[in-house]
Amino acid sequence: MIISLFDVKPYDVPAFERYAKEYGAQIKYFDTKLNVDTAALADGSDAVCVFVNDDVNAEVIEKLSACGVKVVALRSAGYNNVDVKAAYKKIHVVHVPAYSPYAVAEHAMALLLTSVRRIHKAYNRTKDFNFSLGGLTGFDLHGKTVGVIGTGKIGKLFINICRGFGMNVIAYDAYPTAEGIDYVDLDTLYEKSDIISLHCPLTEQTYHLINAKAIEKMKRGVMIVNTSRGALIDAEALLEGIKARKIGGACLDVYEEEADIFFTDFSGHILSDDVLARLISMPNVIVTSHQAFLTEEALNNIAETTLKNVSSILTEGFCENELCYHCGNIEHCKKERKNRCF
Ligand code: NAI
């Protein structure tokens, strides 16, 4: 099988090459993102492999299909960048539902701890032999209330980590199925949480979930952690909330407009995104560039599952990690009934 892998980064290659041999795959690596202009590069490939900022819209799907591509393989869990409705009955879409939920949950806690104990400030100070403590006062996580939005694989692990710190956990999920979790409605979560951590997917319903109205309902000094998808937060409203001292801190691994910025070295350049630049300039904002997934374990799982997914579709016509716009819809989801998506 021939796979065109878009938006490749050096850290992707070793794991993909290791498993390519095992699955008899030939991989063509492109550092460009997949979009309407680059789709033709996939000509002659059986599959394309894409990441979170490749834009697989209806037009791209048409072009890929015309090139003979049969599978779009996401090497991510989230699939909001693929028009799965347009792909239905044209091209199979597969994803990696869980490559290391631990990596993301642990990163969320790493960001939170860094922020509340001012580790980012202390690190820079002691590097400069500045051993003063002024301005480094943090607060205990123990006894604080954390509101977790989305209690799937990552949300549940994050909850366990928080419980280990002796925090009170409340949660909101549109489909609350997890056992032993104190579910509340969103307004109650906003009202009671000292820390809010986002672990739900980006959908039409969750776009700008954290907006000016939601921020208004939150506690003064609330900390917001987002390791899920940037557009869950209205970044301008977040900035206003920080400027008004309503929001006490933000830990962001994802950003609404990250597609043309994250994963690239812009040091020495003028950052054209004013909102991001202003957020980064705030002492109580920590930004990592969509790094939560980036562990050895996750990279290996991503490569192995992606190649297995493509191979399953091409050889058996079925893959348990296939996605379509009916997936999750109990009435219409054929896969729930162990059939193919189409
Ligand atoms: P999951 O599918 O196991 O869990 C998602 C949860 O969100 C489910 O419980 C679902 O019921 C809930 N949900 C769906 N719609 C909702 C709504 N409108 N409001 C509240 N909850 C809602 O997904 P998983 O593996 O836990 O991943 C969560 C998200 O984390 C992914 O969608 C992805 O966007 C993000 N992610 C980020 C990574 C990073 O590197 N920063 C890496 C991997 C995932």
Side-chain angles (χ1 to χ4, degrees), residues 2-6 28 30 34 38-50 56 60-73 87 89-93 310 313-314 342:
I2 300 177
I3 302 174
S4 287
L5 190 147
F6 286 84
K28 295 182 184 174
F30 298 104
L34 176 62
T38 60
L41 290 169
D43 195 18
S45 300
D46 300 297
V48 291
C49 178
V50 300
V56 194
V60 170
I61 286 163
E62 280 302 330
K63 288 200 167 190
L64 291 174
S65 180
C67 288
V69 172
K70 296 168 215 63
V71 190
V72 171
K89 294 199 171 167
K90 267 198 198 102
I91 205 159
H92 296 276
V93 180
V310 176
I313 291 278
L314 295 178
F342 61 88

mmCIF file of all heavy atoms in Angstrom, residues 2-6 28 30 34 38-50 56 60-73 87 89-93 310 313-314 342:
data_model
loop_
_atom_site.group_PDB
_atom_site.id
_atom_site.type_symbol
_atom_site.label_atom_id
_atom_site.label_comp_id
_atom_site.label_asym_id
_atom_site.label_seq_id
_atom_site.Cartn_x
_atom_site.Cartn_y
_atom_site.Cartn_z
ATOM 1 N N ILE A 2 0.406 2.266 -0.726
ATOM 2 C CA ILE A 2 1.160 3.522 -0.799
ATOM 3 C C ILE A 2 0.379 4.584 -0.015
ATOM 4 O O ILE A 2 -0.825 4.771 -0.228
ATOM 5 C CB ILE A 2 1.347 3.977 -2.265
ATOM 6 C CG1 ILE A 2 2.119 2.894 -3.033
ATOM 7 C CG2 ILE A 2 2.073 5.316 -2.337
ATOM 8 C CD1 ILE A 2 2.294 3.192 -4.512
ATOM 9 N N ILE A 3 1.080 5.230 0.900
ATOM 10 C CA ILE A 3 0.432 6.230 1.750
ATOM 11 C C ILE A 3 1.160 7.565 1.594
ATOM 12 O O ILE A 3 2.387 7.616 1.725
ATOM 13 C CB ILE A 3 0.466 5.799 3.236
ATOM 14 C CG1 ILE A 3 -0.222 4.438 3.415
ATOM 15 C CG2 ILE A 3 -0.176 6.859 4.129
ATOM 16 C CD1 ILE A 3 -0.116 3.866 4.824
ATOM 17 N N SER A 4 0.402 8.628 1.306
ATOM 18 C CA SER A 4 0.994 9.972 1.288
ATOM 19 C C SER A 4 0.747 10.598 2.648
ATOM 20 O O SER A 4 -0.407 10.799 3.038
ATOM 21 C CB SER A 4 0.343 10.835 0.209
ATOM 22 O OG SER A 4 0.787 10.411 -1.053
ATOM 23 N N LEU A 5 1.824 10.893 3.370
ATOM 24 C CA LEU A 5 1.700 11.421 4.725
ATOM 25 C C LEU A 5 1.992 12.919 4.698
ATOM 26 O O LEU A 5 3.098 13.335 4.334
ATOM 27 C CB LEU A 5 2.658 10.671 5.642
ATOM 28 C CG LEU A 5 2.517 10.904 7.134
ATOM 29 C CD1 LEU A 5 2.860 9.633 7.914
ATOM 30 C CD2 LEU A 5 3.396 12.040 7.620
ATOM 31 N N PHE A 6 0.977 13.716 5.010
ATOM 32 C CA PHE A 6 1.094 15.180 4.927
ATOM 33 C C PHE A 6 1.484 15.782 6.283
ATOM 34 O O PHE A 6 1.291 15.162 7.337
ATOM 35 C CB PHE A 6 -0.235 15.787 4.458
ATOM 36 C CG PHE A 6 -0.474 15.565 2.987
ATOM 37 C CD1 PHE A 6 -1.037 14.376 2.536
ATOM 38 C CD2 PHE A 6 -0.102 16.525 2.058
ATOM 39 C CE1 PHE A 6 -1.243 14.156 1.182
ATOM 40 C CE2 PHE A 6 -0.300 16.317 0.697
ATOM 41 C CZ PHE A 6 -0.876 15.132 0.249
ATOM 42 N N LYS A 28 5.118 8.078 1.416
ATOM 43 C CA LYS A 28 5.687 9.281 0.804
ATOM 44 C C LYS A 28 5.439 10.424 1.791
ATOM 45 O O LYS A 28 4.282 10.654 2.164
ATOM 46 C CB LYS A 28 4.988 9.603 -0.509
ATOM 47 C CG LYS A 28 5.185 8.571 -1.584
ATOM 48 C CD LYS A 28 4.460 9.064 -2.822
ATOM 49 C CE LYS A 28 4.513 8.062 -3.936
ATOM 50 N NZ LYS A 28 3.690 8.490 -5.080
ATOM 51 N N PHE A 30 5.334 14.320 2.967
ATOM 52 C CA PHE A 30 5.228 15.705 2.476
ATOM 53 C C PHE A 30 5.170 16.635 3.676
ATOM 54 O O PHE A 30 4.319 16.432 4.560
ATOM 55 C CB PHE A 30 3.962 15.890 1.635
ATOM 56 C CG PHE A 30 3.935 15.036 0.402
ATOM 57 C CD1 PHE A 30 3.152 13.897 0.349
ATOM 58 C CD2 PHE A 30 4.713 15.369 -0.697
ATOM 59 C CE1 PHE A 30 3.136 13.096 -0.785
ATOM 60 C CE2 PHE A 30 4.706 14.572 -1.836
ATOM 61 C CZ PHE A 30 3.913 13.436 -1.888
ATOM 62 N N LEU A 34 -2.127 19.174 3.883
ATOM 63 C CA LEU A 34 -3.084 18.777 2.840
ATOM 64 C C LEU A 34 -4.172 19.847 2.743
ATOM 65 O O LEU A 34 -4.786 20.219 3.743
ATOM 66 C CB LEU A 34 -3.709 17.420 3.187
ATOM 67 C CG LEU A 34 -4.796 16.936 2.213
ATOM 68 C CD1 LEU A 34 -4.255 16.734 0.804
ATOM 69 C CD2 LEU A 34 -5.433 15.638 2.710
ATOM 70 N N THR A 38 -2.771 21.145 -2.517
ATOM 71 C CA THR A 38 -1.746 20.095 -2.406
ATOM 72 C C THR A 38 -2.315 18.680 -2.594
ATOM 73 O O THR A 38 -1.546 17.716 -2.633
ATOM 74 C CB THR A 38 -1.044 20.162 -1.027
ATOM 75 O OG1 THR A 38 -2.037 19.985 -0.005
ATOM 76 C CG2 THR A 38 -0.344 21.488 -0.811
ATOM 77 N N ALA A 39 -3.650 18.570 -2.699
ATOM 78 C CA ALA A 39 -4.279 17.238 -2.762
ATOM 79 C C ALA A 39 -3.721 16.397 -3.915
ATOM 80 O O ALA A 39 -3.593 15.167 -3.789
ATOM 81 C CB ALA A 39 -5.793 17.381 -2.883
ATOM 82 N N ALA A 40 -3.347 17.060 -5.014
ATOM 83 C CA ALA A 40 -2.866 16.319 -6.191
ATOM 84 C C ALA A 40 -1.580 15.546 -5.909
ATOM 85 O O ALA A 40 -1.249 14.588 -6.613
ATOM 86 C CB ALA A 40 -2.645 17.294 -7.353
ATOM 87 N N LEU A 41 -0.840 15.938 -4.856
ATOM 88 C CA LEU A 41 0.389 15.210 -4.499
ATOM 89 C C LEU A 41 0.097 13.755 -4.149
ATOM 90 O O LEU A 41 0.971 12.897 -4.207
ATOM 91 C CB LEU A 41 1.069 15.882 -3.289
ATOM 92 C CG LEU A 41 1.700 17.257 -3.528
ATOM 93 C CD1 LEU A 41 2.097 17.905 -2.209
ATOM 94 C CD2 LEU A 41 2.932 17.111 -4.424
ATOM 95 N N ALA A 42 -1.169 13.493 -3.772
ATOM 96 C CA ALA A 42 -1.537 12.126 -3.355
ATOM 97 C C ALA A 42 -1.869 11.226 -4.536
ATOM 98 O O ALA A 42 -2.221 10.057 -4.337
ATOM 99 C CB ALA A 42 -2.728 12.193 -2.402
ATOM 100 N N ASP A 43 -1.726 11.744 -5.760
ATOM 101 C CA ASP A 43 -2.064 10.951 -6.940
ATOM 102 C C ASP A 43 -1.330 9.607 -6.918
ATOM 103 O O ASP A 43 -0.121 9.560 -6.686
ATOM 104 C CB ASP A 43 -1.664 11.750 -8.208
ATOM 105 C CG ASP A 43 -2.319 11.150 -9.439
ATOM 106 O OD1 ASP A 43 -3.300 10.396 -9.277
ATOM 107 O OD2 ASP A 43 -1.831 11.423 -10.548
ATOM 108 N N GLY A 44 -2.058 8.541 -7.090
ATOM 109 C CA GLY A 44 -1.438 7.205 -7.114
ATOM 110 C C GLY A 44 -1.333 6.560 -5.746
ATOM 111 O O GLY A 44 -0.878 5.422 -5.622
ATOM 112 N N SER A 45 -1.736 7.269 -4.694
ATOM 113 C CA SER A 45 -1.666 6.679 -3.344
ATOM 114 C C SER A 45 -2.980 6.000 -2.996
ATOM 115 O O SER A 45 -4.052 6.396 -3.457
ATOM 116 C CB SER A 45 -1.398 7.773 -2.303
ATOM 117 O OG SER A 45 -0.187 8.418 -2.580
ATOM 118 N N ASP A 46 -2.879 4.979 -2.162
ATOM 119 C CA ASP A 46 -4.093 4.308 -1.679
ATOM 120 C C ASP A 46 -4.715 5.093 -0.535
ATOM 121 O O ASP A 46 -5.925 5.045 -0.316
ATOM 122 C CB ASP A 46 -3.745 2.911 -1.148
ATOM 123 C CG ASP A 46 -3.114 2.058 -2.236
ATOM 124 O OD1 ASP A 46 -3.808 1.794 -3.222
ATOM 125 O OD2 ASP A 46 -1.928 1.712 -2.106
ATOM 126 N N ALA A 47 -3.851 5.784 0.209
ATOM 127 C CA ALA A 47 -4.348 6.484 1.393
ATOM 128 C C ALA A 47 -3.572 7.772 1.605
ATOM 129 O O ALA A 47 -2.423 7.891 1.154
ATOM 130 C CB ALA A 47 -4.185 5.586 2.621
ATOM 131 N N VAL A 48 -4.211 8.733 2.279
ATOM 132 C CA VAL A 48 -3.460 9.887 2.771
ATOM 133 C C VAL A 48 -3.492 9.816 4.295
ATOM 134 O O VAL A 48 -4.474 9.351 4.874
ATOM 135 C CB VAL A 48 -4.049 11.252 2.313
ATOM 136 C CG1 VAL A 48 -3.874 11.465 0.833
ATOM 137 C CG2 VAL A 48 -5.500 11.416 2.733
ATOM 138 N N CYS A 49 -2.406 10.246 4.893
ATOM 139 C CA CYS A 49 -2.347 10.282 6.350
ATOM 140 C C CYS A 49 -2.240 11.751 6.754
ATOM 141 O O CYS A 49 -1.358 12.468 6.262
ATOM 142 C CB CYS A 49 -1.140 9.490 6.842
ATOM 143 S SG CYS A 49 -0.981 9.528 8.624
ATOM 144 N N VAL A 50 -3.176 12.213 7.587
ATOM 145 C CA VAL A 50 -3.242 13.650 7.898
ATOM 146 C C VAL A 50 -3.217 13.879 9.401
ATOM 147 O O VAL A 50 -3.520 12.991 10.193
ATOM 148 C CB VAL A 50 -4.518 14.291 7.289
ATOM 149 C CG1 VAL A 50 -4.540 14.146 5.786
ATOM 150 C CG2 VAL A 50 -5.796 13.712 7.909
ATOM 151 N N VAL A 56 -9.289 18.788 5.429
ATOM 152 C CA VAL A 56 -9.881 17.788 4.536
ATOM 153 C C VAL A 56 -11.363 18.131 4.333
ATOM 154 O O VAL A 56 -12.265 17.479 4.862
ATOM 155 C CB VAL A 56 -9.683 16.362 5.097
ATOM 156 C CG1 VAL A 56 -9.978 15.322 4.016
ATOM 157 C CG2 VAL A 56 -8.264 16.153 5.620
ATOM 158 N N VAL A 60 -11.460 18.953 -1.101
ATOM 159 C CA VAL A 60 -10.262 18.106 -0.999
ATOM 160 C C VAL A 60 -10.666 16.641 -1.166
ATOM 161 O O VAL A 60 -9.986 15.866 -1.868
ATOM 162 C CB VAL A 60 -9.549 18.339 0.361
ATOM 163 C CG1 VAL A 60 -8.452 17.313 0.590
ATOM 164 C CG2 VAL A 60 -8.965 19.750 0.407
ATOM 165 N N ILE A 61 -11.784 16.271 -0.556
ATOM 166 C CA ILE A 61 -12.250 14.879 -0.663
ATOM 167 C C ILE A 61 -12.544 14.521 -2.121
ATOM 168 O O ILE A 61 -12.150 13.460 -2.604
ATOM 169 C CB ILE A 61 -13.467 14.668 0.267
ATOM 170 C CG1 ILE A 61 -12.965 14.605 1.717
ATOM 171 C CG2 ILE A 61 -14.244 13.399 -0.086
ATOM 172 C CD1 ILE A 61 -13.999 14.797 2.764
ATOM 173 N N GLU A 62 -13.183 15.435 -2.847
ATOM 174 C CA GLU A 62 -13.443 15.214 -4.285
ATOM 175 C C GLU A 62 -12.132 14.955 -5.017
ATOM 176 O O GLU A 62 -12.000 14.029 -5.805
ATOM 177 C CB GLU A 62 -14.101 16.451 -4.906
ATOM 178 C CG GLU A 62 -15.587 16.580 -4.651
ATOM 179 C CD GLU A 62 -16.388 15.382 -5.158
ATOM 180 O OE1 GLU A 62 -15.972 14.759 -6.143
ATOM 181 O OE2 GLU A 62 -17.413 15.050 -4.510
ATOM 182 N N LYS A 63 -11.149 15.816 -4.743
ATOM 183 C CA LYS A 63 -9.859 15.708 -5.453
ATOM 184 C C LYS A 63 -9.157 14.412 -5.108
ATOM 185 O O LYS A 63 -8.583 13.753 -5.981
ATOM 186 C CB LYS A 63 -8.955 16.898 -5.098
ATOM 187 C CG LYS A 63 -9.424 18.192 -5.713
ATOM 188 C CD LYS A 63 -8.318 19.219 -5.779
ATOM 189 C CE LYS A 63 -8.773 20.348 -6.691
ATOM 190 N NZ LYS A 63 -7.738 21.284 -7.021
ATOM 191 N N LEU A 64 -9.176 14.043 -3.822
ATOM 192 C CA LEU A 64 -8.499 12.813 -3.404
ATOM 193 C C LEU A 64 -9.153 11.605 -4.064
ATOM 194 O O LEU A 64 -8.488 10.699 -4.567
ATOM 195 C CB LEU A 64 -8.558 12.658 -1.875
ATOM 196 C CG LEU A 64 -7.741 13.664 -1.058
ATOM 197 C CD1 LEU A 64 -8.014 13.469 0.435
ATOM 198 C CD2 LEU A 64 -6.245 13.527 -1.330
ATOM 199 N N SER A 65 -10.487 11.627 -4.067
ATOM 200 C CA SER A 65 -11.235 10.527 -4.649
ATOM 201 C C SER A 65 -10.912 10.398 -6.144
ATOM 202 O O SER A 65 -10.698 9.292 -6.654
ATOM 203 C CB SER A 65 -12.722 10.793 -4.397
ATOM 204 O OG SER A 65 -13.475 9.780 -4.919
ATOM 205 N N ALA A 66 -10.809 11.546 -6.812
ATOM 206 C CA ALA A 66 -10.470 11.534 -8.247
ATOM 207 C C ALA A 66 -9.055 11.001 -8.477
ATOM 208 O O ALA A 66 -8.749 10.444 -9.536
ATOM 209 C CB ALA A 66 -10.601 12.945 -8.811
ATOM 210 N N CYS A 67 -8.174 11.174 -7.478
ATOM 211 C CA CYS A 67 -6.782 10.666 -7.579
ATOM 212 C C CYS A 67 -6.711 9.185 -7.246
ATOM 213 O O CYS A 67 -5.608 8.607 -7.235
ATOM 214 C CB CYS A 67 -5.876 11.373 -6.583
ATOM 215 S SG CYS A 67 -5.474 13.051 -6.952
ATOM 216 N N GLY A 68 -7.807 8.576 -6.867
ATOM 217 C CA GLY A 68 -7.804 7.148 -6.539
ATOM 218 C C GLY A 68 -7.541 6.839 -5.071
ATOM 219 O O GLY A 68 -7.361 5.677 -4.696
ATOM 220 N N VAL A 69 -7.514 7.874 -4.238
ATOM 221 C CA VAL A 69 -7.274 7.653 -2.801
ATOM 222 C C VAL A 69 -8.521 7.030 -2.174
ATOM 223 O O VAL A 69 -9.639 7.499 -2.409
ATOM 224 C CB VAL A 69 -6.924 8.993 -2.100
ATOM 225 C CG1 VAL A 69 -6.868 8.827 -0.586
ATOM 226 C CG2 VAL A 69 -5.606 9.531 -2.638
ATOM 227 N N LYS A 70 -8.312 5.969 -1.401
ATOM 228 C CA LYS A 70 -9.469 5.255 -0.834
ATOM 229 C C LYS A 70 -9.647 5.515 0.662
ATOM 230 O O LYS A 70 -10.715 5.251 1.219
ATOM 231 C CB LYS A 70 -9.305 3.742 -1.076
ATOM 232 C CG LYS A 70 -9.307 3.370 -2.560
ATOM 233 C CD LYS A 70 -8.847 1.931 -2.736
ATOM 234 C CE LYS A 70 -8.037 1.677 -3.974
ATOM 235 N NZ LYS A 70 -6.764 2.338 -4.138
ATOM 236 N N VAL A 71 -8.587 5.975 1.298
ATOM 237 C CA VAL A 71 -8.668 6.142 2.765
ATOM 238 C C VAL A 71 -8.030 7.469 3.196
ATOM 239 O O VAL A 71 -6.942 7.818 2.731
ATOM 240 C CB VAL A 71 -7.898 5.008 3.513
ATOM 241 C CG1 VAL A 71 -8.187 5.054 5.013
ATOM 242 C CG2 VAL A 71 -8.201 3.637 2.938
ATOM 243 N N VAL A 72 -8.720 8.172 4.092
ATOM 244 C CA VAL A 72 -8.113 9.299 4.799
ATOM 245 C C VAL A 72 -7.822 8.792 6.207
ATOM 246 O O VAL A 72 -8.755 8.454 6.945
ATOM 247 C CB VAL A 72 -9.053 10.528 4.871
ATOM 248 C CG1 VAL A 72 -8.487 11.598 5.802
ATOM 249 C CG2 VAL A 72 -9.297 11.113 3.487
ATOM 250 N N ALA A 73 -6.543 8.687 6.546
ATOM 251 C CA ALA A 73 -6.177 8.152 7.866
ATOM 252 C C ALA A 73 -5.678 9.293 8.742
ATOM 253 O O ALA A 73 -4.614 9.865 8.498
ATOM 254 C CB ALA A 73 -5.089 7.093 7.709
ATOM 255 N N ALA A 87 -17.346 12.839 2.910
ATOM 256 C CA ALA A 87 -16.556 11.630 2.612
ATOM 257 C C ALA A 87 -17.429 10.382 2.518
ATOM 258 O O ALA A 87 -17.010 9.374 1.933
ATOM 259 C CB ALA A 87 -15.491 11.432 3.691
ATOM 260 N N LYS A 89 -19.482 7.385 1.685
ATOM 261 C CA LYS A 89 -19.635 6.576 0.473
ATOM 262 C C LYS A 89 -18.632 6.927 -0.626
ATOM 263 O O LYS A 89 -18.731 6.446 -1.743
ATOM 264 C CB LYS A 89 -21.067 6.656 -0.077
ATOM 265 C CG LYS A 89 -22.072 6.018 0.871
ATOM 266 C CD LYS A 89 -23.359 5.681 0.203
ATOM 267 C CE LYS A 89 -24.213 4.855 1.156
ATOM 268 N NZ LYS A 89 -25.581 4.719 0.768
ATOM 269 N N LYS A 90 -17.661 7.822 -0.317
ATOM 270 C CA LYS A 90 -16.650 8.181 -1.316
ATOM 271 C C LYS A 90 -15.285 7.680 -0.892
ATOM 272 O O LYS A 90 -14.539 7.100 -1.655
ATOM 273 C CB LYS A 90 -16.575 9.711 -1.426
ATOM 274 C CG LYS A 90 -17.433 10.278 -2.490
ATOM 275 C CD LYS A 90 -17.034 11.689 -2.856
ATOM 276 C CE LYS A 90 -18.217 12.298 -3.573
ATOM 277 N NZ LYS A 90 -18.992 13.195 -2.727
ATOM 278 N N ILE A 91 -14.977 7.961 0.365
ATOM 279 C CA ILE A 91 -13.626 7.703 0.837
ATOM 280 C C ILE A 91 -13.744 7.333 2.317
ATOM 281 O O ILE A 91 -14.517 7.950 3.041
ATOM 282 C CB ILE A 91 -12.783 8.979 0.582
ATOM 283 C CG1 ILE A 91 -11.312 8.699 0.452
ATOM 284 C CG2 ILE A 91 -13.012 10.048 1.572
ATOM 285 C CD1 ILE A 91 -10.567 9.804 -0.290
ATOM 286 N N HIS A 92 -13.033 6.296 2.730
ATOM 287 C CA HIS A 92 -13.122 5.874 4.130
ATOM 288 C C HIS A 92 -12.282 6.802 5.003
ATOM 289 O O HIS A 92 -11.192 7.219 4.603
ATOM 290 C CB HIS A 92 -12.621 4.441 4.286
ATOM 291 C CG HIS A 92 -13.471 3.447 3.547
ATOM 292 N ND1 HIS A 92 -14.621 2.923 4.084
ATOM 293 C CD2 HIS A 92 -13.355 2.914 2.308
ATOM 294 C CE1 HIS A 92 -15.168 2.096 3.212
ATOM 295 N NE2 HIS A 92 -14.416 2.071 2.119
ATOM 296 N N VAL A 93 -12.780 7.087 6.181
ATOM 297 C CA VAL A 93 -12.040 7.927 7.136
ATOM 298 C C VAL A 93 -11.768 7.082 8.381
ATOM 299 O O VAL A 93 -12.698 6.490 8.946
ATOM 300 C CB VAL A 93 -12.851 9.189 7.524
ATOM 301 C CG1 VAL A 93 -12.062 10.056 8.507
ATOM 302 C CG2 VAL A 93 -13.236 10.000 6.290
ATOM 303 N N VAL A 310 -5.305 1.503 7.926
ATOM 304 C CA VAL A 310 -5.308 1.567 6.457
ATOM 305 C C VAL A 310 -5.311 0.154 5.890
ATOM 306 O O VAL A 310 -6.092 -0.176 4.974
ATOM 307 C CB VAL A 310 -4.081 2.367 5.932
ATOM 308 C CG1 VAL A 310 -4.037 2.347 4.414
ATOM 309 C CG2 VAL A 310 -4.126 3.801 6.437
ATOM 310 N N ILE A 313 -8.789 -1.519 6.139
ATOM 311 C CA ILE A 313 -9.759 -1.035 5.146
ATOM 312 C C ILE A 313 -9.420 -1.605 3.764
ATOM 313 O O ILE A 313 -10.296 -2.088 3.037
ATOM 314 C CB ILE A 313 -9.778 0.520 5.085
ATOM 315 C CG1 ILE A 313 -10.366 1.094 6.366
ATOM 316 C CG2 ILE A 313 -10.505 1.018 3.844
ATOM 317 C CD1 ILE A 313 -11.871 1.141 6.451
ATOM 318 N N LEU A 314 -8.120 -1.563 3.406
ATOM 319 C CA LEU A 314 -7.742 -1.988 2.048
ATOM 320 C C LEU A 314 -7.873 -3.495 1.860
ATOM 321 O O LEU A 314 -8.222 -3.954 0.780
ATOM 322 C CB LEU A 314 -6.306 -1.543 1.728
ATOM 323 C CG LEU A 314 -6.080 -0.024 1.650
ATOM 324 C CD1 LEU A 314 -4.615 0.274 1.372
ATOM 325 C CD2 LEU A 314 -6.962 0.616 0.572
ATOM 326 N N PHE A 342 -19.953 2.160 5.582
ATOM 327 C CA PHE A 342 -20.622 2.050 4.266
ATOM 328 C C PHE A 342 -19.892 1.041 3.416
ATOM 329 O O PHE A 342 -18.772 0.667 3.717
ATOM 330 C CB PHE A 342 -20.692 3.404 3.539
ATOM 331 C CG PHE A 342 -19.376 4.036 3.226
ATOM 332 C CD1 PHE A 342 -18.692 3.746 2.025
ATOM 333 C CD2 PHE A 342 -18.793 4.939 4.100
ATOM 334 C CE1 PHE A 342 -17.471 4.337 1.728
ATOM 335 C CE2 PHE A 342 -17.571 5.545 3.810
ATOM 336 C CZ PHE A 342 -16.921 5.239 2.632
#
